[in-house]
Every structure is written in C-alpha cells, then in structure tokens.
Amino acid sequence: MFDFLSLIGNSRRYTFHSHTEFCDGRAQMEAFAREAVAQGFSHYGFSPHSPIPIASPCNMLSSNVDRYLGEVSRIRRDHSDSGVRFYAGMEIDYLGDDWGPSIDYFHTIPLDYSIGSVHFIPSQAGELVDIDGRFESFRRKMIEHFRDDIRYVVEKFYEQSIRMVEAGGFDIIGHLDKVGHNAGHYSEGIEDESWYVSLSDELVDKVIASGVTVELNTKAQRDHGRFFPSTRLLRKLVAAGAPIIVNSDAHVPALIDASRDEAFELLDSIKHSQDIG
C-alpha cells in the first residue's frame, strides 16, 4: 500500500486528487502542472475517473489510458527542475463485485496509487446510476430512478462502500461519506438519524481496520461549507490513528489549493483536543 505520510514528510504542499481533460476536469494536465509549480507544491497527483463498462460522460475511456500515462511522463520530464514531484493516479469507480479497484485490469496499469470511490449505485431495478454531482440532478434522479426513496439510496451507497473496502486494491478512499451532502439537502437532518449514523460508523470502522489512507476532501467547502468526511467521522478517524491526507479534488487549476488550509486547521484542532482530552 502506498505510504503517503512517509512520502510527504512534514510538507503540506501536496494533493493527490485532481481531474483534467481525461475525464470531467475543465483544463488540460499541463495547466494543472503549471499551477502546482506556481503555488509551490511539493507533490501533485493526477487522478482521472477510471474507465467503466457503462456509458459515462465523467469517466475516461480505456483507449486513453496509455495517452494519459504518457502525458504524466512528459510533465515529469518537462518540469523535472520545478521542485514538484508528479504522480500517475486514478480514481477507480466501484460498481460491484465485477468492477472496482481490486479487479485484475487496474493492476495491469502502472499507476503510482489509486483512489477507491463510489459514485454509482444500483437502482431498485438494477440500473447503475451516478448519484454524485449537483443537487438538482440528484433530486431529479431520486424521482426517475429511485422511487423517491432516500433511505434506499443512502443504504446502497454505504453498502457499496463497505464492499469496496472489503475487496481492497486501492490506496486512498475518496470522499467516504459524500452521499450525505445531497441526502442532507433532500432530507434535512438525515445525517443525525440513528440509522444513518450506524451506517457511516460501520464504514469508518471498516476503513480503520483496513489501514487504507483516508482523504479529507475539500472540494465542497468553498461553496457548501463542508468537508468529506464530516467532522464527527473525522474525529473518530483521528482517534483511531488512521492515516489522513488533505486532497482538493480540483477540476480547475485555480482550485488545487482551495480550502486546504481550513482542512489542516480542522485536523490540527481535532488532534489538539484529543491530546488534551
């Protein structure tokens, strides 16, 4: 398993989660690389959404994997004297037992690391549906695909996430409780309900036992005022000594460092409170 904490040492100028033209990012890799250099990063990882066996406008094509890896190599070469180390990662979608970070296909790709994430869940009819993205889209999908059953959606998200952790094969778990954002808009207070707390706690317990690195994902903080995982779950992870890194999950170069200082402040405050508690 990739040892991020030993790699970065005491540096906080890093991120291992970003999306470019190879998936749903809105700029080319070179633009992200130049921004990482300009902002004084020490480590920068690219992580396109993986190929998947269903149609998706957000995921890279398997035919582009070699070109992606070649672009990482070019960036490393062209920016070799920049002080930034660049990495070839991939955010791999877990769709079920037959497709996820643990399958042989992804272990044939020479990646430096991988992120395991759940974006798709099966509807009651068995159709895989992307529940990530803007709330307006989520709300529409609730009616069109999920019979307006928010508890079903949340339970399936955590069920899929737990199965992904049990299957393994990845280095970072991505935005592990992200369903809470749209679910919270759909049903206010849902994250405080006992059944939701139990599900999210079960996932965190599995993550802690697995030893996988957890990202504190800052993408939603600027516009929505929240991190993934939630502060409650983050406290539990810190108390257990889980390895945690701060990732921006940027889709545009200007946001590669967005809200990361706030995330480190939160981590520091939790560690301090637990040290003196």
Side-chain angles (χ1 to χ4, degrees), residues 14-33:
Y14 67 82
T15 186
F16 293 94
H17 194 160
S18 66
H19 298 285
T20 69
E21 80 272 24
F22 283 95
C23 54
D24 60 347
R26 297 190 289 277
Q28 294 186 336
M29 286 175 63
E30 177 64 23
F32 285 85

Side-chain angles (χ1 to χ4, degrees), residues 202-220:
E202 183 181 0
L203 173 58
V204 166
D205 288 342
K206 292 283 187 180
V207 168
I208 291 168
S210 75
V212 72
T213 295
V214 177
E215 71 167 13
L216 176 49
N217 186 300
T218 70
K219 182 183 176 184

Side-chain angles (χ1 to χ4, degrees), residues 28-44:
Q28 294 186 336
M29 286 175 63
E30 177 64 23
F32 285 85
R34 291 181 179 179
E35 188 68 17
V37 173
Q39 294 201 31
F41 273 64
S42 58
H43 303 274
Y44 193 88

Side-chain angles (χ1 to χ4, degrees), residues 12 216 227-242 244 246 262-277:
R12 292 186 167 186
L216 176 49
F227 295 112
F228 305 111
S230 68
T231 300
R232 182 185 71 82
L233 296 177
L234 190 60
R235 291 184 186 278
K236 186 171 182 176
L237 289 159
V238 171
I244 299 170
V246 176
E262 296 165 67
F264 281 117
E265 289 173 6
L266 175 60
L267 266 178
D268 289 343
S269 68
I270 290 173
K271 291 175 182 177
H272 178 70
S273 66
Q274 293 184 356
D275 286 343
I276 65 175

Side-chain angles (χ1 to χ4, degrees), residues 5 39 45 60 79 87 100 138 156 240 260:
L5 299 185
Q39 294 201 31
M60 77 184 304
H79 295 280
Y87 301 86
F138 180 85
K156 278 297 176 183
R260 291 179 69 260

Side-chain angles (χ1 to χ4, degrees), residues 5 7 15 29 40 58-59 71 81 88 92 107 118 122 142 164 190 193 201 209 213-214 229 267 276:
L5 299 185
L7 178 73
T15 186
M29 286 175 63
C58 296
N59 290 73
E71 184 65 358
D81 61 350
I92 302 174
H107 295 281
V118 172
M142 283 295 303
M164 179 181 73
I190 194 172
E193 295 182 18
D201 280 348
T213 295
V214 177
L267 266 178
I276 65 175

Side-chain angles (χ1 to χ4, degrees), residues 41-106:
F41 273 64
S42 58
H43 303 274
Y44 193 88
F46 298 102
S47 56
H49 291 289
S50 70
I52 55 176
I54 58 175
S56 169
C58 296
N59 290 73
M60 77 184 304
L61 300 173
S62 58
S63 58
N64 284 335
V65 171
D66 287 344
R67 188 162 65 88
Y68 159 65
L69 295 171
E71 184 65 358
V72 176
S73 295
R74 182 199 63 76
I75 285 171
R76 286 171 174 162
R77 182 178 65 252
D78 290 355
H79 295 280
S80 60
D81 61 350
S82 67
V84 187
R85 294 178 63 181
F86 292 97
Y87 301 86
M90 187 174 286
E91 184 174 17
I92 302 174
D93 271 295
Y94 180 85
L95 303 182
D97 294 339
D98 297 328
W99 195 269
S102 66
I103 69 169
D104 291 342
Y105 167 69
F106 291 112

